Amino acid sequence: MTYAVEGMVCGHCATSVTEAITGLDGVRNVDVDVQSGHVSVDSERELEEAALAQALDDIGYEMSGRV
């Protein structure tokens, strides 16, 4: 799934977002494109969007939905 995430502006942002999402249960791979604001997540099963949004909120970013 691919999600739009607001607030990412640099490589450090990409690293923070990757680490936060990778910590969620079942996540296998995370690909962050800072320029587009898109984050692609490969997981063993569909992620709970509320958990994903909370993980991003905890580090200062906002998920604005699926792309």
Side-chain angles (χ1 to χ4, degrees):
M1 298 301 301
T2 301
Y3 303 91
V5 177
E6 297 179 19
M8 299 184 301
V9 295
C10 65
H12 181 265
C13 296
T15 300
S16 296
V17 167
T18 299
E19 289 174 357
I21 297 173
T22 300
L24 297 174
D25 188 41
V27 172
R28 292 187 288 216
N29 188 48
V30 178
D31 183 43
V32 177
D33 184 338
V34 173
Q35 286 193 328
S36 70
H38 293 167
V39 177
S40 297
V41 181
D42 178 34
S43 60
E44 296 171 2
R45 59 191 161 281
E46 189 169 344
L47 295 177
E48 289 184 33
E49 287 191 19
L52 178 58
Q54 185 62 54
L56 292 168
D57 187 61
D58 287 349
I59 60 169
Y61 302 96
E62 182 179 348
M63 183 180 80
S64 54
R66 288 186 185 181
V67 178

